[in-house]
Amino acid sequence: MKLARILFWNILLLASCGRYNKINSNAVLNENRVTNELAQEQIKAFEYTAALRGNYQKTTISKEAILTSKKRGGNPVKQPCTLEDWAKLMDLLELIELEQLHKFEPPSKDFQFDGASLARLRIISKDKIYETQGFDHGNPPKEVTDLVKEILSISENIE
């Protein structure tokens, strides 16, 4: 009988610990989701630049407009940003931890010896600017690949 009681209490204890961990992990996920949603509400623009001797590209996308420039200091081409494009960028942004953006490692560093254009992604919010490390144009860190591809796709469609 004592053995049955001990087994019963151990099973009950293990079951409640597992439930507690599940509740805590759900709370952390919900907290991260709320933090990301708040950050998304404050996003003002996405900025992508790529530069190499003689080559330059800058794309800035805000909720209101898309600006692309192929020349430093030149007049950018401007077009209104559609709600569909902005929503797509926000959906992709939801998959990225903004506070970790500067820590994402680029898969290659050919830009260090002029083997590729040096590119950077900046996400501008009301209070802060989040920026990646430099990476090769066309080969961004895996965490932001889809977002960079979408930004480049949007910018190519307005020229």
Side-chain angles (χ1 to χ4, degrees):
M1 191 65 174
K2 284 185 179 182
L3 182 61
R5 248 190 260 158
I6 291 172
L7 285 174
F8 172 75
W9 287 110
N10 282 335
I11 291 171
L12 184 64
L13 179 65
L14 288 172
S16 65
C17 286
R19 196 171 121 215
Y20 178 75
N21 285 340
K22 186 183 256 186
I23 290 170
N24 278 347
S25 65
N26 285 340
V28 169
L29 288 174
N30 287 336
E31 183 179 322
N32 287 343
R33 191 174 301 125
V34 168
T35 303
N36 265 352
E37 287 173 4
L38 290 173
Q40 282 188 11
E41 289 175 10
Q42 296 181 4
I43 298 300
K44 294 174 80 177
F46 297 87
E47 185 178 280
Y48 179 84
T49 56
L52 181 67
R53 298 179 196 177
N55 292 332
Y56 181 78
Q57 174 183 356
K58 181 176 181 180
T59 301
T60 305
I61 302 175
S62 68
K63 200 170 187 174
E64 296 80 27
I66 303 167
L67 303 168
T68 58
S69 180
K70 297 277 186 184
K71 186 177 179 183
R72 286 185 199 267
N75 290 333
V77 176
K78 183 177 180 179
Q79 180 175 325
C81 182
T82 65
L83 290 175
E84 182 181 302
D85 286 339
W86 187 255
K88 178 76 173 182
L89 292 173
M90 286 296 144
D91 288 345
L92 292 170
L93 183 62
E94 194 173 296
L95 305 173
I96 300 169
E97 243 185 281
L98 287 176
E99 293 295 332
Q100 301 299 315
L101 194 63
H102 68 282
K103 294 181 181 178
F104 297 154
E105 285 292 323
S108 61
K109 296 185 180 184
D110 292 342
F111 67 86
Q112 292 178 337
F113 58 86
D114 289 342
S117 296
L118 170 62
R120 290 190 191 278
L121 172 66
R122 297 172 79 196
I123 300 172
I124 303 164
S125 75
K126 290 179 182 177
D127 303 328
K128 192 171 182 180
I129 296 175
Y130 304 93
E131 186 172 6
T132 63
Q133 298 178 34
F135 58 89
D136 295 344
H137 175 62
N139 196 13
K142 66 179 185 228
E143 296 89 350
V144 296
T145 298
D146 292 336
L147 181 60
V148 168
K149 283 181 181 178
E150 186 63 26
I151 290 169
L152 292 174
S153 173
I154 291 169
S155 73
E156 288 172 3
N157 289 334
I158 70 164
E159 295 179 34

